[in-house]
Amino acid sequence: MDNLTRRRALSIGAVLGLASVTSAPGAWSWSSKGSIAGTDSVTDPFSVWDPDTDDVAARLLADGSIPAVNKAWEAWVDNSDPLPSGMPGYLTDYLQQVNQLPSWADPALLAASEKLYKRLNSYLFVSESLGSGILSTVIPREARAVYWSAGGADMKERAAKTFTFGYDLHSPTAWQPSGHFLVSANKTRLVHSTVRSLLLTSKRFMESADQPKPISNGDILVTFHSVATVAQNNLSKWGIKLSAREQAADLHAWQVALHLLGVQHQFIPATWADAQTQADQMLWPKVAPTPEGISLAKTLLGYVEDPTLGLTTGFVSEMVRYLISDTYADWLDLPHDRVSRVLIKAAWPTYVRFREGLSPIVPDGLYLFDQVVRGIAMLFLNNGTSPTRTPITLPTANRPGA
């Protein structure tokens, strides 16, 4: 990315309330004193991976156990479910160590996050799926890793699996025995390691790789910021005020989630202010268009567009532009629809406040915005099988031709 493009990207981050820097950063400088570890050291998270989980994934690939594991996982859904039989002993031993909440998890804050997400789910559908989902396609490392993995060849299923993770985290029973997030997080962590191992065998992926291995701790944190930190700022922009307790609960749920995904404590932000500072260095300076990202964006948007719901190409594109900015949308060559643009910019914040009971004003386009929420929920939560979940499974290969 040239300097002009980088400056534009950083300025857009500032507009979104995330970036305060005005030039490209140098060496990694975020200190762990801003982390839940509370130490004071500087370690580059983009050079840290998940070795124990990687070893398990490599063994599963080597001994051909993944089909049997995926079958066994069908019975492992609820947080209270016992580990299923039918898995290799080394996988069971590994899961017995990680399939639990950390000792520092705060039950009261996790319960508060469940209550908060029950209220905010509709807006998080829009911010995290349509907004952050498309934003991910201008994060080069993420776009390339997704495109050349097996998920890139079936993006509807891949998106549904990704949203199952988000749905389970934002469920009003996420951390309860009947919830699913602990299981979904452990499955996702193993998916990351399996994809990491497989992509190292992809000639096409490795030709564009700028890391020894993909999906580092830093890359997972970039995704966290593109989803959670962006959502925090969107809620503020739309007039949704969260109490200090609610903000703490939201962050704590994500802190536990990052721990369960194998992110080291020295990198997990301790406060939202620390998260914003970290995002300034690791998210916005990293965005850029890639052929893989452009292809993924077009595929994803094609799933969302549904004339029967009123979600035309122009309206969906303008909703994306509103969520992620014109600069990034232009990189993806999204079309313009001036009529939809005026409606969205003026009426969406009013719609959110109206649905929150914060405004008596009925917004223009009320029905259309309801259809946006409904359409996105149908896409990412259904995928033709279930109203709430798509099974998270381990891949056995990369994208065909990778």
Side-chain angles (χ1 to χ4, degrees), residues 145 149-150 190-200 214-215 395 398:
S149 68
L190 272 162
V191 169
H192 285 167
S193 285
T194 306
V195 170
R196 186 181 297 122
S197 183
L198 286 168
L199 284 176
L200 293 178
I215 320 178
N398 293 312

Side-chain angles (χ1 to χ4, degrees), residues 36-163:
I36 61 173
T39 53
D40 189 5
S41 60
V42 176
T43 304
D44 183 356
F46 293 102
S47 63
V48 175
W49 290 270
D50 192 2
D52 291 342
T53 315
D54 289 353
D55 288 346
V56 172
R59 289 186 67 180
L60 290 172
L61 286 166
D63 63 22
S65 296
I66 287 180
V69 170
N70 286 336
K71 180 65 178 176
W73 277 7
E74 292 176 3
W76 186 36
V77 177
D78 292 351
N79 294 333
S80 60
D81 285 344
L83 294 178
S85 59
M87 299 188 301
Y90 61 84
L91 175 57
T92 300
D93 291 344
Y94 161 80
L95 288 173
Q96 286 173 340
Q97 298 176 44
V98 300
N99 188 41
Q100 55 189 315
L101 294 178
S103 59
W104 46 266
D106 185 328
L109 282 178
L110 294 180
S113 75
E114 293 173 335
K115 183 178 180 181
L116 175 67
Y117 293 145
K118 183 176 182 180
R119 173 165 70 93
L120 299 180
N121 252 341
S122 294
Y123 321 123
L124 294 175
F125 278 159
V126 174
S127 178
E128 296 185 2
S129 57
L130 187 58
S132 298
I134 302 303
L135 182 60
S136 72
T137 68
V138 296
I139 301 172
R141 286 177 176 172
E142 183 168 352
R144 291 176 181 133
V146 169
Y147 184 86
W148 292 112
S149 68
D154 187 350
M155 279 303 292
K156 190 169 187 180
E157 182 178 84
R158 197 267 179 185
K161 289 178 179 178
T162 301
F163 207 72

Side-chain angles (χ1 to χ4, degrees), residues 16 78 81 92 97 118 176 204 211 259 280 283 331 338 340 342 345 364 373 377 381 393:
L16 292 175
D78 292 351
D81 285 344
T92 300
Q97 298 176 44
K118 183 176 182 180
Q176 299 174 30
R204 302 292 298 277
Q211 293 173 288
H259 162 86
D280 287 350
L283 173 56
W331 288 351
R338 301 300 179 185
S340 295
V342 171
K345 187 174 181 179
D364 293 335
V373 175
L381 298 183
T393 54

Side-chain angles (χ1 to χ4, degrees), residues 8-318:
R8 286 174 176 168
L10 289 167
S11 67
I12 293 298
V15 170
L16 292 175
L18 284 164
S20 60
V21 293
T22 56
S23 60
W28 181 254
S29 60
W30 193 83
S31 170
S32 59
K33 66 184 178 183
S35 73
I36 61 173
T39 53
D40 189 5
S41 60
V42 176
T43 304
D44 183 356
F46 293 102
S47 63
V48 175
W49 290 270
D50 192 2
D52 291 342
T53 315
D54 289 353
D55 288 346
V56 172
R59 289 186 67 180
L60 290 172
L61 286 166
D63 63 22
S65 296
I66 287 180
V69 170
N70 286 336
K71 180 65 178 176
W73 277 7
E74 292 176 3
W76 186 36
V77 177
D78 292 351
N79 294 333
S80 60
D81 285 344
L83 294 178
S85 59
M87 299 188 301
Y90 61 84
L91 175 57
T92 300
D93 291 344
Y94 161 80
L95 288 173
Q96 286 173 340
Q97 298 176 44
V98 300
N99 188 41
Q100 55 189 315
L101 294 178
S103 59
W104 46 266
D106 185 328
L109 282 178
L110 294 180
S113 75
E114 293 173 335
K115 183 178 180 181
L116 175 67
Y117 293 145
K118 183 176 182 180
R119 173 165 70 93
L120 299 180
N121 252 341
S122 294
Y123 321 123
L124 294 175
F125 278 159
V126 174
S127 178
E128 296 185 2
S129 57
L130 187 58
S132 298
I134 302 303
L135 182 60
S136 72
T137 68
V138 296
I139 301 172
R141 286 177 176 172
E142 183 168 352
R144 291 176 181 133
V146 169
Y147 184 86
W148 292 112
S149 68
D154 187 350
M155 279 303 292
K156 190 169 187 180
E157 182 178 84
R158 197 267 179 185
K161 289 178 179 178
T162 301
F163 207 72
T164 290
F165 175 92
Y167 178 87
D168 289 345
L169 174 61
H170 295 330
S171 165
T173 60
W175 306 99
Q176 299 174 30
S178 61
H180 313 307
F181 185 71
L182 186 60
V183 174
S184 291
N186 278 294
K187 289 181 178 180
T188 300
R189 182 177 182 178
L190 272 162
V191 169
H192 285 167
S193 285
T194 306
V195 170
R196 186 181 297 122
S197 183
L198 286 168
L199 284 176
L200 293 178
T201 69
S202 166
K203 179 177 181 293
R204 302 292 298 277
F205 172 79
M206 293 304 294
E207 286 174 348
S208 64
D210 59 355
Q211 293 173 288
K213 293 184 291 186
I215 320 178
S216 65
N217 270 204
D219 297 316
I220 294 171
L221 285 162
V222 167
T223 300
F224 155 70
H225 290 301
S226 73
V227 176
T229 311
V230 166
Q232 269 279 319
N233 287 273
N234 277 338
L235 293 174
S236 177
K237 181 172 68 174
W238 299 339
I240 303 299
K241 304 298 183 184
L242 303 184
S243 68
R245 175 75 172 176
E246 288 173 328
Q247 291 189 47
D250 184 21
L251 179 61
H252 190 63
W254 278 105
Q255 289 169 333
V256 176
L258 289 170
H259 162 86
L260 293 172
L261 290 177
V263 176
Q264 294 184 5
H265 294 175
Q266 63 175 320
F267 303 131
I268 300 176
T271 68
W272 278 117
D274 294 316
Q276 300 278 10
T277 302
Q278 191 182 71
D280 287 350
Q281 185 169 3
M282 69 171 14
L283 173 56
W284 303 111
K286 303 290 184 181
V287 292
T290 61
E292 293 91 345
I294 291 169
S295 175
L296 293 176
K298 290 185 183 301
T299 300
L300 287 170
L301 289 172
Y303 295 145
V304 179
E305 295 158 9
D306 187 342
T308 64
L309 295 175
L311 306 183
T312 62
T313 300
F315 180 85
V316 170
S317 294
E318 286 297 340

